[in-house]
Amino acid sequence: MKIISLITCICLSLAFSASPLASPKPLILGAEDSWPPYSNKSGQGISTNIVKAAFAKAGLETQVVVRPYARVLQDVKAGALDAGYNVTRQQNTELEFIFGKEPILQASAYWYFRPGASQPATTPKKLPHGYRVGAIIDYEYGDIYEIERRRFKEVRVPRQVQLIKMLQQGRIDAALMFEEEANQTLKEMGLSNTAVQKGMFNHTSDIYLAFSRKKTHSQELAQKFDQGIKKLKETGEYERLLMPGILQ
């Protein structure tokens, strides 16, 4: 009986230590390198602050690695990363990742045009066929845009700076950009907000931390993250972390 009990204890101990929630090894999270003020080229920004603080509330350490957004998604899918951000929940991403209930934050995207250019429509559905639209590689712009994008001549690039330059040069008719991201990029380029013309609203996204389906504890980690976000909101820390310029 003592031998059986000892074996049982050893097995339970090994099972417990194998869990990333019981291990001192930090969670490896992917941050995109080109979405200021949410996550900049150094991985710093509003989203990173919130994600790290939420896991800290749950008693979990994190390590952030910075990569292009498309690479972050690929590595999360492959299980090379525990999770990545900033991802929106829509039909295609729901199939590829595990999400918690609590978003990191919300962000609104608009259509941007050259200054003085006439806007051909008030909704994406009314834009003409063949319209040249600039967007970021692997960014999600909502289910409505996913339906309409087949009608456009879409140009995908990796950087916001490229979108703004292409728009100014007339190489595209419009660019899809999240408002805070557009404002921050224009500022970094030394341009005023009038350098491009904000047009019709596209959508507001709940921005999430996406967990890998290749990891066995992803669902549990998502629940821990949800708990951390709720604690941040209860203490009032969440609102402070939404402010740009605060680095953790």
Side-chain angles (χ1 to χ4, degrees):
M1 288 296 292
K2 289 183 179 180
I3 294 176
I4 294 175
S5 298
L6 179 61
I7 293 173
T8 301
C9 289
I10 292 172
C11 290
L12 288 172
S13 177
L14 289 173
F16 181 74
S17 63
S19 168
L21 303 184
S23 170
K25 186 177 179 181
L27 302 176
I28 308 301
L29 309 176
E32 65 174 302
D33 62 358
S34 181
W35 203 38
Y38 304 107
S39 178
N40 63 19
K41 61 184 179 181
S42 300
Q44 297 177 327
I46 297 172
S47 293
T48 300
N49 294 346
I50 293 173
V51 168
K52 291 173 66 176
F55 275 126
K57 286 291 184 184
L60 297 172
E61 294 186 12
T62 54
Q63 178 182 336
V64 175
V65 297
V66 187
R67 294 168 186 174
Y69 184 69
R71 176 69 185 279
V72 169
L73 297 185
Q74 291 172 4
D75 288 349
V76 174
K77 289 178 192 176
L81 297 173
D82 292 299
Y85 54 94
N86 304 286
V87 185
T88 60
R89 295 182 70 165
Q90 54 189 53
Q91 290 181 358
N92 59 322
T93 57
E94 288 281 4
L95 296 174
E96 296 170 337
F97 306 104
I98 290 174
F99 295 96
K101 295 179 180 179
E102 297 289 331
I104 302 170
L105 48 82
Q106 286 188 323
S108 295
Y110 291 82
W111 290 75
Y112 285 82
F113 305 87
R114 280 177 293 163
S118 60
Q119 298 182 36
T122 54
T123 66
K125 292 182 179 181
K126 295 181 180 180
L127 286 171
H129 287 263
Y131 205 63
R132 298 175 302 168
V133 178
I136 296 296
I137 295 171
D138 282 332
Y139 268 28
E140 305 89 20
Y141 296 98
D143 290 327
I144 292 177
Y145 178 73
E146 284 299 315
I147 295 171
E148 299 300 321
R149 65 184 289 194
R150 298 176 182 86
R151 303 188 298 105
F152 305 140
K153 289 183 179 179
E154 189 183 68
V155 180
R156 292 265 180 168
V157 296
R159 299 284 185 270
Q160 305 300 320
V161 171
Q162 293 170 278
L163 281 184
I164 292 172
K165 288 182 177 179
M166 290 172 66
L167 189 59
Q168 290 179 316
Q169 295 165 2
R171 294 167 58 191
I172 53 177
D173 299 311
L176 277 168
M177 293 189 287
F178 288 89
E179 183 176 20
E180 293 300 326
E181 169 189 38
N183 293 341
Q184 182 67 27
T185 304
L186 287 167
K187 181 179 179 181
E188 293 177 356
M189 293 174 70
L191 300 173
S192 70
N193 288 1
T194 59
V196 293
Q197 179 182 342
K198 188 177 79 170
M200 60 187 173
F201 171 79
N202 187 67
H203 77 300
T204 295
S205 283
D206 286 332
I207 306 299
Y208 284 87
L209 183 61
F211 294 86
S212 176
R213 290 190 174 274
K214 295 286 187 179
K215 301 285 188 175
T216 57
H217 293 85
S218 287
Q219 194 63 58
E220 190 175 357
L221 288 172
Q223 293 172 358
K224 290 289 185 182
F225 181 73
D226 284 348
Q227 293 170 11
I229 289 287
K230 289 177 181 178
K231 287 181 181 179
L232 289 176
K233 291 180 178 179
E234 289 170 359
T235 61
E237 295 171 78
Y238 181 80
E239 291 300 321
R240 184 181 69 86
L241 290 169
L242 282 175
M243 297 170 58
I246 297 176
L247 300 180
Q248 298 298 301

